[in-house]
Structures are given as structure tokens and as C-alpha cells.
Amino acid sequence: MEPVTVSVARFELAAAPLEIAPLREGLLRQAAGAYASFEGWIRNHNDGRPVQGLRYEAYEALALEEGRRIVEEAAARFAITGVHCVHRVGELPIGGLAVWVGASAAHRGAAFDACRYVIDEVKGRVPIWKHERYTDGPAQWLHPDGPGSPPATP
């Protein structure tokens, strides 16, 4: 088996809507025979409550550092040629794209595995919080570990 060289391992935060085509294009490599991606969208409900919209906030320096660590881990762990993750911050509407992960590899299995690893680790480790606004009551701050920091504001 030929050694795999990872030429892209990127993590970013973005305040503007994402354009997927250039992100995908950035992972194209002659050594890659496969590409997999994950898109996380804003849904209109959470835990049985109707959601009307949300805002993501991040501890930017730490989020970028931990996000980069995660994509570098994926690059070391899986036989991929590239991996890239972008997470939105700011206001997002229902149906909006909140997070995108893409991976390229010689074979599809590694690309799928890298995508799953990156999104699972980002959701659990990167300091990004969402402030959900509900149609049936007060807004709430959420993190994958459950309700928490930063404190809710009226």
C-alpha cells in the first residue's frame, strides 16, 4: 500500500453562509478516489420544543485550537488525503447550514470514518454554544454536554 500524504487538515469558524463547492474542491487530490461529507442543519425542533432560530457563539481562540487538533488527529488516524471542517457562528435560520465536514481519501471507508470522527469530536470538545430561541417559551444556551455556559440572558 502506498503511503498516504495528507495535504489538507483545516478547521475554521465562519460568520457568513458556507459555499460548499469551493470547500469540496479544496479536497480534490489525484490520490483521492473518494470524498465524503457531512452537513449539519438547523432544525425546527429540539427536545420536543419548537425552535424558531438560534445563534452560535464560540470561544474563538480555543475553538480554533481544539478544532485544528481534531482534524490533525483525523489525518493521523485515517488513511485520508484531506480533511476540512467549518462551523458557523452568529445567527442562523431554520434550515441553515451550521457545520460542514469533508474528507477525501483513496477509498470511501476512510473518508466516511474521518467525517464521523471529526463531527463527533467537534460536537463534544470544541467550545461552541448555541442559543436556541423557542416559540413556546424562553431561549436557552446549549452545549453538547447539556445546558450550561455561557449563562442565559433575558
Side-chain angles (χ1 to χ4, degrees), residues 63-147:
L64 291 171
E65 180 182 327
E66 191 64 18
R68 288 179 185 134
R69 185 176 294 123
I70 291 165
V71 294
E72 288 168 4
E73 289 169 6
R77 186 175 190 153
F78 304 101
I80 57 176
T81 58
V83 60
H84 191 167
C85 177
V86 185
H87 201 298
R88 288 288 312 276
V89 291
E91 293 288 333
L92 278 85
I94 300 301
L97 181 58
V99 60
W100 176 87
V101 180
S104 57
H107 303 284
R108 69 183 176 269
F112 282 124
D113 292 345
C115 278
R116 177 178 289 278
Y117 177 82
V118 169
I119 191 58
D120 288 349
E121 294 299 309
V122 165
K123 291 311 223 178
R125 293 168 41 189
V126 177
I128 298 173
W129 298 272
K130 64 180 173 179
H131 188 245
E132 284 188 335
R133 293 183 310 280
Y134 306 104
T135 59
D136 67 350
Q140 181 177 357
W141 284 102
L142 302 172
H143 185 267
D145 296 329

Side-chain angles (χ1 to χ4, degrees), residues 45-61:
H45 63 91
N46 186 30
D47 289 333
R49 295 186 68 191
V51 174
Q52 66 183 25
L54 61 80
R55 180 176 76 248
Y56 279 107
E57 291 188 14
Y59 180 162
E60 187 172 347

